[in-house]
Amino acid sequence: MYPERPQSDADLVPLPQCDGPKLKAFDFQGPQQIEFLDYLGSGTHAIVFKVNIRGQIYALKLFRFTSDESWVSPADEASQDDLEALSAFYPYSEPFSCECRAFGRLQEAGHEELATKCYGYVLLDDAHENAMMNKFAHVPAHKLNFNYDGYHDDDEDDYYNDPNLRDMRSRFLCSDGSLPPLRGIVKEFGQSEEDLDNKGAKRLLRDIKHIQQLGITALDIACRQIISGKLSDFSTAVTVPHFVSNPEWNPHLTPDWKSDLELELFTLCYMDYRSFDLIVHDWNEEHKDEKKKQVKVRALPEGWPPERRRLRNTPARERLYTYVDPRNYKKYLPVTDRRGRIVKRKEALRRKPSLWYIECEAAPARRLKELEEIDGGIHWQYQNGHIAPLERE
């Protein structure tokens, strides 16, 4: 399931190997050579370092081997250790794959300026892994552990010392029996944003709309992932084509399930704007006594918190909208021939794209409008060689 250890540069193929965009390997211009300078922090999916490569400073994000619960994977018990089932999901929804696909799309579309610049992926060799672990031996072990997810970084005694905790890295070994290599992505080094103003908020909202037009959503919008004014983390991103956006991949889906998939994709897009409004709301709350620092930009008409409405006045069905249908991404990509030459220029990204309307029942409409955190409602399974919904919530 995971990438094999490369024996030569020829093995460093663009990843992930599935339909849709891919990310090329970082070009070391020779043997892999990385100087680890500083430990920058860790999160659910990855650990980030400041590194020096050939005299240039970068941020290197090394991904953990996370539990299946931390990414969209089959929820049925029969598939939990099924390599074929997990391998079907892995290239589309595992955090490393998500980030490769999103950055790959930005690159193929010629719009790398919309996010932190990405220079390619890395499969860390043993020598550099050992050097990194030795360099940061002073960092608490649970914050430098790649074998589990980082949900419980602050609960070391309760989680990482649990004798029943499973080592996810050793679950699926390479073909030669070795552990899979640590997977990383090399990015531009930048600084976290501490301040927010109307100009910066407008720019961020514009970038969200532009990125969605390129077929990328589920952006996990949060202050922690804004580096030097740009989005930097795509480890949960859904990039079209995807099993959520392309029901034709599974010929066994019923019309009802196809409708539910469309609502699922709509919800992911809507959630990006809800998350933006939450950033603005939290900023304004933190600076409620400073009128000059109040940000007035909002993404959704109801903003946050939304105005409460009487349920008796709520219609049985509602027509909702979000700003972008990411399934229309192709018109923003250049068309190339077999030699890679551009034969048709892409359309320009729109500041005011056509709205995406959808009709749904009152209950999911209220859920979208009123809940602070919106999770997808579909659980998944692998059935008859296809990814399919498992159940509804």
Side-chain angles (χ1 to χ4, degrees):
M1 182 170 78
Y2 301 116
E4 291 278 335
R5 291 181 176 273
Q7 302 302 313
S8 68
D9 289 346
D11 296 329
L12 295 172
V13 297
L15 295 177
Q17 290 292 291
C18 66
D19 290 339
K22 302 168 180 59
L23 185 65
K24 294 181 179 179
F26 180 84
D27 184 5
F28 284 96
Q29 300 180 34
Q32 187 173 118
Q33 191 171 4
I34 305 171
E35 179 186 4
F36 286 86
L37 301 177
D38 197 8
Y39 165 88
L40 299 179
S42 64
T44 301
H45 301 135
I47 305 171
V48 184
F49 302 89
K50 180 181 180 181
V51 299
N52 179 359
I53 303 176
R54 296 180 61 86
Q56 180 70 40
I57 302 300
Y58 299 97
L60 174 59
K61 181 177 182 178
L62 292 177
F63 287 79
R64 302 178 191 260
F65 292 87
T66 56
S67 61
D68 301 341
E69 291 78 11
S70 69
W71 52 285
V72 179
S73 60
D76 59 309
E77 293 185 6
S79 298
Q80 288 182 1
D81 280 321
D82 186 324
L83 179 58
E84 180 183 355
L86 288 167
S87 296
F89 284 82
Y90 174 86
Y92 294 100
S93 57
E94 197 274 342
F96 172 70
S97 296
C98 288
E99 195 142 297
C100 285
R101 298 186 85 231
F103 278 117
R105 170 58 51 76
L106 293 175
Q107 291 178 359
E108 73 176 1
H111 282 291
E112 294 181 78
E113 80 283 353
L114 294 177
T116 299
K117 187 171 178 59
C118 172
Y119 296 92
Y121 77 83
V122 168
L123 301 179
L124 206 65
D125 61 30
D126 286 339
H128 283 90
E129 180 177 347
N130 292 333
M132 177 264 296
M133 297 300 289
N134 291 332
K135 171 81 173 182
F136 303 109
H138 62 282
V139 175
H142 69 291
K143 290 189 176 291
L144 201 62
N145 198 318
F146 292 91
N147 298 346
Y148 320 109
D149 61 54
Y151 271 125
H152 305 278
D153 263 355
D154 296 325
D155 302 322
E156 181 180 7
D157 292 337
D158 295 335
Y159 185 71
Y160 288 97
N161 291 333
D162 183 346
N164 297 316
L165 189 64
R166 191 174 187 186
D167 183 337
M168 302 305 292
R169 187 180 185 184
S170 63
R171 180 167 59 155
F172 299 119
L173 301 176
C174 293
S175 57
D176 62 1
S178 63
L179 291 173
L182 294 183
R183 305 151 299 157
I185 291 181
V186 181
K187 304 180 187 180
E188 178 183 7
F189 182 79
Q191 301 296 327
S192 299
E193 290 289 306
E194 297 182 356
D195 293 326
L196 184 67
D197 55 23
N198 283 294
K199 182 178 180 180
K202 289 179 180 178
R203 182 177 63 248
L204 177 59
L205 181 57
R206 178 203 64 196
D207 288 348
I208 294 171
K209 293 179 181 179
H210 284 172
I211 290 172
Q212 285 193 352
Q213 287 176 66
L214 296 176
I216 310 168
T217 188
L219 303 176
D220 188 27
I221 305 298
C223 289
R224 68 179 182 280
Q225 74 122 315
I226 301 174
I227 304 297
S228 300
K230 297 182 179 182
L231 297 178
S232 65
D233 183 350
F234 294 99
S235 59
T236 64
V238 168
T239 302
V240 182
H242 191 279
F243 55 82
V244 175
S245 61
N246 293 70
E248 69 275 9
W249 288 0
N250 187 344
H252 306 294
L253 292 180
T254 66
D256 284 344
W257 275 125
K258 291 179 180 179
S259 178
D260 286 348
L261 288 184
E262 183 175 44
L263 179 59
E264 184 86 352
L265 182 63
F266 181 93
T267 299
L268 294 175
C269 296
Y270 193 94
M271 182 170 59
D272 288 339
Y273 300 109
R274 166 55 44 78
S275 298
F276 172 88
D277 283 339
L278 282 169
I279 288 178
V280 172
H281 173 263
D282 291 346
W283 171 266
N284 288 339
E285 283 294 301
E286 292 174 6
H287 302 85
K288 57 185 177 182
D289 296 327
E290 303 173 79
K291 290 186 178 180
K292 291 184 178 180
K293 288 193 174 184
Q294 294 293 295
V295 174
K296 299 180 180 180
V297 182
R298 67 181 184 183
L300 298 173
E302 62 267 22
W304 185 264
E307 179 182 352
R308 294 285 180 177
R309 299 180 180 179
R310 296 180 181 178
L311 295 181
R312 67 184 182 187
N313 293 330
T314 301
R317 294 184 65 83
E318 287 195 47
R319 191 173 188 234
L320 302 177
Y321 75 84
T322 186
Y323 293 101
V324 177
D325 183 344
R327 296 172 296 185
N328 297 327
Y329 71 96
K330 287 186 178 179
K331 61 185 177 182
Y332 302 112
L333 302 184
V335 178
T336 58
D337 61 18
R338 293 181 178 179
R339 297 182 180 180
R341 297 176 300 189
I342 296 177
V343 296
K344 182 181 179 182
R345 293 290 176 180
K346 62 192 177 186
E347 289 188 22
L349 296 174
R350 300 177 182 178
R351 188 171 64 88
K352 293 184 177 181
S354 300
L355 299 178
W356 178 16
Y357 288 93
I358 192 170
E359 284 195 6
C360 63
E361 296 179 355
R366 286 199 303 272
R367 180 168 66 95
L368 285 175
K369 289 184 176 182
E370 297 179 4
L371 292 183
E372 181 172 338
E373 295 185 7
I374 308 169
D375 295 323
I378 294 180
H379 290 170
W380 300 90
Q381 64 179 327
Y382 186 70
Q383 187 179 57
N384 300 322
H386 297 284
I387 295 174
L390 176 64
E391 61 180 327
R392 306 176 189 179
E393 288 188 346

